[in-house]
Amino acid sequence: MENRQRLEQIDSGTMPDATAQQQPAKGAPRLLLMGQRRSGKSSISSVVFHKLPPNETLFIESTARIQKDSLSSFMDVQIWDFPGQIEIFENSNVTFDIDAIFGEIGALIWVIDAQDDYTESVARLHHTILNLQRSYPQINIEVFIHKVDGLSDDYKFDIQRNITIQIQDELSDQGIDNAPVNFHLTSIYDHSIFEAFSKVIQKLIPRLGQLEAMLTNLCRTCRFEKAYLFDVNTKIYIATDNTPEDMSSYEICCDFVDVIIDFTEVYGSWPRTQQWRDRLEGEPWDQPLEDQVACDRAEAGMILSDSQRPIMLREVDRFLALVAIMKEGSYDKMPQINMNVDVVVKGLEEFFRITKQKNIVEPTIMKGPGRPLQGGR
Amino acid sequence: MPSSTDASINQAAAQAQLKKVKKQKVLLMGKSGSGKSSMRSIIFSNYLARDTRRLGATIDIDLSHVKFLGNLTLNLWDCGGQEAFMENYLSQQRAHVFSNVGVLIYVFDIESRDVERDLATYVNIISALGQYSREAKVFVLIHKMDLIQSTNREAIFNQRVAVVRRKTAEAVAILHKHQPSPSSLSESEGGIDLDMHLFATSIWDQSLYKAWASIIHDLVPNLGVIETQLASLGVAIDADEILLFERTSFLVVSRWSSHEGDRNPYGDRFERMSNILKSWKHTCSKFTGTPRNAEQFTEFEYKMGPTFSMFVTKFTANTYILVAMPPGEARFNSAKLNVAAARPWFKFLDGPPVSAGPPGQIPAGLGGYSNEMGGMAAEA
C-alpha cells in the first residue's frame, strides 16, 4: 500500500499530466523500457502495443517524460517507457522513488541500439543491474539488442556475444553470478520484437507449465507440428508446446492471425440489416443464424500448396487464439481435430478462469478480517 | 443442365463474344528514381516492398511481356527516366515509343526537388502521346506518399492533382492548336480529350493495388462476360461479395456485391484484400521455401461464428476467388461445392483457346443444387 501511495505522489509530483487516468489493478506486472536516447524504446512500444506500422515510427518524437501504457488482455500489463536522458540512479535534480518504480515490476527491458556505439549503454545497464540486484534481485532483466535488421547474421551474433561477455564479466567481478539477465536480438521490421516480448511476458504468467502441457498434449493427439496460444492484439504468444522453438513457424502463425484480424475488420465489424437476417433465417433454413453455425467462435483453416500442410486457428476468448501448424494432408481429419480443439479450448477457459480468480481473491484475503468469500472454511 | 443443343448454341455465341488474345502496350514513365521499376516488381514479380531497394536504375527501355489472365498480355515498357533517355524518347525514338500506346502510366515523385522541371518533362510526354496515340489512357501516379506525414497527405495530393491537371490541359490545348485534327474538331471545342486518372500511391501500403487494379481493369478482355457470370454465381450461392483475383499479382479483376454486401463501410476493401492476400503469399513462400511466384495456398476458410463466413480458393488456372457470405455451415459447404462446379463457366479466363461453357448465366440446376444441399444438411 505504501508503494502505491508513493507512486501516486510521483505521478502527481514529477509528471503532472502523465496518464493518470489509468489505475490498473494492483498486482498487474509492469514492464519498464529503458535505454539510451534514440535507441528505439518508444518505437518498440508503439509497434507492439499500438500496432503502428514500423515505417511510420520515423515520425515519433523523442519522449520527454515517462509514458505509461496499459495492456488489458488475458493479463493486465503496464508498460512504462522511460525517456533515455533520465538517470534513475544518479540524478541530482529529481530524486526518483526507486521503490515505487521497481516495487511491482515484472521485468526491466533494456534497449541497446546495435547500429550505434553501445559502450555507454552497456555501462549504464551494468550500473542499473548492480543497483537493482541489491534491493530487487527477483527482477528479470531483458536486454534487447535492437535495430539488428540490415546487420549480417555473423555481425549480430558478434555483438550479442560481446555484450553478454562484458555484462557477465563485470557482474562476476562484483560477485554477482546468477543475475537473471537475458539477451534478445530484435528489430521492429520483422517478427523478432514480438518474439522477444513473448519470452518476456511468458515469464510473468503464473503456471505457464500447465498451459504448455495442455498444448503439448493437443499436439500429440492431433498430430500438430506446432501450436501457439496467441494474444491476438499484440501477436505475442503466451505459450507453445514443448517442441523446439522455430522462428519460421512463429512468423507464419503470427501473420495468419493478422490476416484473420483484417478479414474480421472488413467483413465482420459492421451490422447487417434485419431483412438480411430474416431472409437467411427463413425458408429453407428455418433456424436462427446462431443455430446454423457449428462453432460460435472464429475458426479458420488454410492449406499450403507445398506439401498440403494445413494451418488452423481457433478463437479461445476475447483476447486469445489458438493457432497450429498441422501435419501434411491432415485437412480431411478436420472434424475430429475440431472436437479435440473444442476440448482444449474449454480447458483453457477453465485455466484462465481459475488463475484470474486467484488474482482477484488474493487482495481480499490480504485486506484483512472481512474475508467475505472464504468466511466459513 | 440445359440440353446439348442449347449448350452448343450458347457455346457458339460465347465464341463469338469472347475476344482473342489481346496485346496492350503500356508505357511506364517518370523521372529517374521515382519508383517505376519498384512498383512494377512488386505488382508483377512478387517483390516485397523492402526488396526493391536492391533494384538499380533502369537503362533505356526495359521491355517485358506480362501475361495477365489467359488472354491479355501487357507489353510493359519500363522507360528509364534519366534525362538523356527522356530526350531520346522524345526525339529519335518518338514514333517508336509513342505509337500504339494503350496506356501511359506517368509517375511523379512527391519528394522531388524540382517540380517545375518534372512538369515540363511531363508536358512533353503528353504532347508526344497526343501526337501518336490519342486514344491512350493516362494514369498519373503521385508516388512515395508514405514520405508525407499522414495528416497532410490528402491536402498535398489534391494540390498536386490540381497542378497536374492544369498542365495537362495546357499541353492538350497547345497540341490542339498545332495539329488541328478534323475528327476531334468535329466533336467539341475541347478537341483532344485525355482520358486521365490520378492516384496517390506508395509501395508500402495498399494504395499501389488500387491504382494498378484500376489500370488493368479497363484492359481485361471480356469483362462484361466475367461480370455477369460472377453475378449469377453470387446469387446462386447466396454470397454477399465475390472478388476475382489474378493469380500472380492478386489484383482484383472483377467483383460483385449483393445489396447487403454493398453496405460494407470499407470502401477500400478491394485493394486491401489484394494487399493482405499478397503479403500472405509472401509469408507462405518464406515458410515453405518455395519460389515467390509459385502457387502458395490452395484453400483459405474463415468462419466467424454467427457473423459471416468467407473462403478464398484457387479458381481457374489464372485466378483466385474470394467469397464472403452469411454464416451457416450448410450454406458454406454448398457454396464451396457450387464454386467448384462453376469453374468450367469461367474457363475462358484461361484462354486463348476459347472453350467456354454456356456464358451469361449459371443454369437453374445449380441454384437448385444449392438449396437441395442446404436443405439436406440443415435437416441433418
Side-chain angles (χ1 to χ4, degrees):
Chain A
M1 284 311 281
E2 280 176 1
N3 289 354
R4 163 101 3 222
Q5 278 160 7
R6 268 191 244 152
L7 174 65
E8 275 156 15
Q9 275 166 13
I10 284 204
D11 270 341
S12 52
T14 55
M15 341 138 215
D17 56 347
T19 50
Q21 74 277 10
Q22 299 159 350
Q23 282 295 339
K26 188 171 168 67
R30 188 184 300 158
L31 300 177
L32 302 185
L33 277 168
M34 292 184 173
Q36 297 294 90
R37 295 177 55 224
R38 307 196 46 76
S39 58
K41 300 175 292 302
S42 305
S43 301
I44 291 178
S45 74
S46 315
V47 168
V48 177
F49 299 105
H50 299 288
K51 291 184 157 279
L52 191 74
N55 48 320
E56 298 206 357
T57 55
L58 281 175
F59 302 119
I60 292 182
E61 311 246 326
S62 151
T63 310
R65 41 174 56 107
I66 302 178
Q67 290 284 333
K68 297 177 188 175
D69 265 321
S70 74
L71 165 73
S72 50
S73 177
F74 70 100
M75 178 168 88
D76 292 322
V77 181
Q78 302 179 59
I79 302 100
W80 288 22
D81 181 4
F82 279 73
Q85 57 272 26
I86 291 190
E87 284 281 356
I88 302 276
F89 293 104
E90 316 158 19
N91 195 319
S92 45
N93 304 329
V94 193
T95 42
F96 281 89
D97 188 333
I98 306 294
D99 198 34
I101 295 173
F102 296 103
E104 285 183 51
I105 194 181
L108 167 69
I109 297 170
W110 190 275
V111 184
I112 295 177
D113 183 348
Q115 298 193 7
D116 200 4
D117 176 22
Y118 49 79
T119 13
E120 202 194 328
S121 185
V122 171
R124 272 185 66 195
L125 168 61
H126 170 234
H127 187 69
T128 311
I129 299 177
L130 279 186
N131 274 298
L132 285 179
Q133 276 297 305
R134 255 174 248 144
S135 337
Y136 309 97
Q138 78 288 359
I139 290 178
N140 292 324
I141 293 155
E142 312 281 349
V143 182
F144 284 12
I145 300 166
H146 194 51
K147 306 193 194 175
V148 292
D149 51 294
L151 302 184
S152 74
D153 278 357
D154 286 349
Y155 190 58
K156 269 192 264 189
F157 293 123
D158 270 356
I159 293 181
Q160 179 171 13
R161 202 170 50 236
N162 267 337
I163 295 178
T164 315
I165 290 173
Q166 265 186 56
I167 293 286
Q168 275 166 355
D169 281 359
E170 285 175 40
L171 285 180
S172 60
D173 285 352
Q174 309 277 341
I176 300 169
D177 280 327
N178 293 318
V181 187
N182 303 292
F183 298 88
H184 311 263
L185 290 166
T186 60
S187 159
I188 52 170
Y189 292 95
D190 57 32
H191 294 75
S192 57
I193 190 68
F194 297 98
E195 231 240 339
F197 260 100
S198 305
K199 299 270 171 58
V200 173
I201 297 265
Q202 281 171 28
K203 295 200 182 109
L204 307 177
I205 295 173
R207 303 188 192 282
L208 178 69
Q210 189 67 42
L211 274 182
E212 288 176 341
M214 284 167 87
L215 293 182
T216 308
N217 214 349
L218 177 70
C219 285
R220 213 186 48 230
T221 23
C222 298
R223 313 206 329 124
F224 287 167
E225 280 182 10
K226 191 85 190 146
Y228 293 95
L229 189 57
F230 269 94
D231 176 55
V232 174
N233 291 320
T234 54
K235 292 186 290 173
I236 286 171
Y237 70 95
I238 67 166
T240 179
D241 62 306
N242 64 359
T243 51
E245 297 281 340
D246 169 20
M247 192 64 181
S248 66
S249 325
Y250 171 64
E251 281 175 16
I252 196 169
C253 292
C254 212
D255 288 355
F256 192 53
V257 173
D258 262 349
V259 173
I260 297 299
I261 292 175
D262 280 328
F263 283 167
T264 309
E265 190 184 346
V266 172
Y267 289 110
S269 65
W270 47 283
R272 305 315 205 253
T273 54
Q274 190 58 41
Q275 293 102 291
W276 179 80
R277 201 182 173 92
D278 289 345
R279 186 176 60 80
L280 296 169
E281 292 181 348
E283 284 283 325
W285 314 93
D286 292 323
Q287 258 181 326
L289 281 181
E290 282 71 18
D291 294 343
Q292 293 182 28
V293 297
C295 172
D296 59 347
R297 301 189 189 165
E299 54 175 339
M302 63 85 54
I303 309 174
L304 290 166
S305 296
D306 169 62
S307 75
Q308 299 296 307
R309 246 180 315 181
I311 300 179
M312 59 84 65
L313 173 145
R314 173 70 76 87
E315 178 185 359
V316 174
D317 64 18
R318 214 148 55 85
F319 303 115
L320 300 174
L322 182 72
V323 185
I325 301 175
M326 295 158 61
K327 279 259 156 55
E328 291 161 28
S330 55
Y331 203 66
D332 297 343
K333 300 206 178 71
M334 222 38 215
Q336 289 103 304
I337 288 172
N338 271 332
M339 286 171 74
N340 283 325
V341 170
D342 280 341
V343 174
V344 171
V345 166
K346 280 211 186 75
L348 289 171
E349 275 182 326
E350 187 82 344
F351 175 90
F352 287 106
R353 197 172 53 76
I354 292 168
T355 49
K356 266 259 161 60
Q357 212 170 40
K358 224 177 126 227
N359 286 345
I360 300 164
V361 171
E362 258 175 2
T364 36
I365 296 173
M366 275 157 49
K367 257 182 199 155
R371 285 197 193 181
L373 291 173
Q374 318 278 317
R377 311 256 164 106
Chain B
M1 291 291 279
S3 69
S4 59
T5 45
D6 277 359
S8 61
I9 292 166
N10 278 341
Q11 196 135 6
Q15 298 231 352
Q17 212 175 349
L18 294 169
K19 288 179 200 124
K20 295 276 152 37
V21 182
K22 222 169 141 183
K23 276 201 176 179
Q24 280 283 1
K25 179 167 168 185
V26 178
L27 287 186
L28 191 52
M29 291 189 139
K31 209 184 66 165
S32 172
S34 55
K36 301 173 291 298
S37 305
S38 296
M39 62 169 88
R40 185 193 66 164
S41 313
I42 290 175
I43 296 283
F44 296 109
S45 313
N46 282 301
Y47 272 54
L48 279 174
R50 61 168 176 269
D51 294 341
T52 59
R53 286 184 195 141
R54 292 203 297 259
L55 292 169
T58 307
I59 303 301
D60 209 24
I61 296 176
D62 192 352
L63 254 179
S64 53
H65 301 272
V66 179
K67 214 176 149 223
F68 196 86
L69 301 176
N71 46 7
L72 171 65
T73 306
L74 299 180
N75 267 345
L76 206 56
W77 293 45
D78 183 358
C79 307
Q82 289 164 45
E83 260 167 57
F85 300 141
M86 280 293 198
E87 271 159 33
N88 193 341
Y89 307 146
L90 288 166
S91 48
Q92 277 130 307
Q93 300 195 55
R94 196 174 176 100
H96 173 62
V97 173
F98 290 100
S99 51
N100 299 319
V101 176
V103 174
L104 166 71
I105 303 167
Y106 199 89
V107 184
F108 280 105
D109 180 350
I110 191 75
E111 281 256 290
S112 168
R113 310 234 165 251
D114 198 349
V115 180
E116 283 307 314
R117 198 185 200 128
D118 294 355
L119 286 168
T121 323
Y122 168 73
V123 165
N124 288 337
I125 300 282
I126 290 292
S127 315
L129 188 74
Q131 192 183 350
Y132 288 95
S133 318
R134 50 188 64 208
E135 300 286 292
K137 294 198 172 75
V138 178
F139 290 86
V140 174
L141 310 186
I142 315 285
H143 197 47
K144 305 195 187 175
M145 289 303 278
D146 54 293
L147 295 173
I148 308 293
Q149 213 156 351
S150 52
T151 42
N152 305 336
R153 270 176 211 164
E154 206 180 332
I156 292 183
F157 174 65
N158 288 337
Q159 201 184 327
R160 202 52 73 89
V161 166
V163 175
V164 172
R165 283 205 185 278
R166 199 182 65 230
K167 286 284 174 188
T168 315
E170 280 172 26
V172 170
I174 291 169
L175 199 62
H176 181 55
K177 208 183 289 171
H178 285 285
Q179 305 190 307
S181 96
S183 67
S184 60
L185 268 179
S186 58
E187 277 170 23
S188 66
E189 34 84 57
I192 306 151
D193 201 18
L194 267 180
D195 185 357
M196 187 166 96
H197 306 268
L198 291 107
F199 291 93
T201 54
S202 156
I203 56 168
W204 299 97
D205 60 34
Q206 64 206 21
S207 58
L208 194 63
Y209 292 94
K210 179 178 184 172
W212 279 87
S214 142
I215 291 167
I216 58 116
H217 183 264
D218 298 337
L219 301 177
V220 172
N222 309 316
L223 198 65
V225 184
I226 301 175
E227 274 167 4
T228 35
Q229 303 262 48
L230 268 193
S232 343
L233 178 64
V235 171
I237 63 174
D238 225 349
D240 278 337
E241 188 148 274
I242 300 186
L243 306 182
L244 191 68
F245 298 100
E246 196 271 333
R247 176 179 64 110
T248 339
S249 61
F250 263 100
L251 292 172
V252 176
V253 176
S254 180
R255 57 183 202 233
W256 171 86
S257 308
S258 72
H259 189 60
E260 190 70 20
D262 265 335
R263 291 181 56 250
N264 193 325
Y266 294 91
D268 64 347
R269 60 189 183 279
F270 312 111
E271 56 266 23
R272 195 162 162 189
M273 287 297 137
S274 298
N275 197 11
I276 293 168
L277 289 170
K278 191 135 183 198
S279 59
W280 174 242
K281 205 175 135 187
H282 281 297
T283 306
C284 295
S285 104
K286 203 173 160 201
F287 180 72
T288 58
T290 47
R292 280 183 186 151
N293 281 324
E295 172 195 314
Q296 292 298 342
F297 65 94
T298 37
E299 201 85 21
F300 196 123
E301 299 181 1
Y302 176 35
K303 298 172 212 163
M304 191 199 163
T307 316
F308 79 98
S309 308
M310 66 181 288
F311 60 91
V312 184
T313 184
K314 221 179 138 318
F315 195 47
T316 66
N318 287 305
T319 55
Y320 273 83
I321 194 166
L322 177 152
V323 176
M325 57 182 306
E329 208 70 20
R331 200 176 279 119
F332 185 82
N333 292 333
S334 52
K336 284 197 76 176
L337 289 171
N338 279 324
V339 166
R343 274 190 188 117
W345 282 275
F346 289 86
K347 264 278 158 56
F348 66 88
L349 287 173
D350 299 334
V354 181
S355 59
Q361 52 174 247
I362 309 241
L366 196 57
Y369 178 48
S370 149
N371 283 334
E372 192 184 322
M373 276 295 299
M376 271 162 56
E379 274 166 41

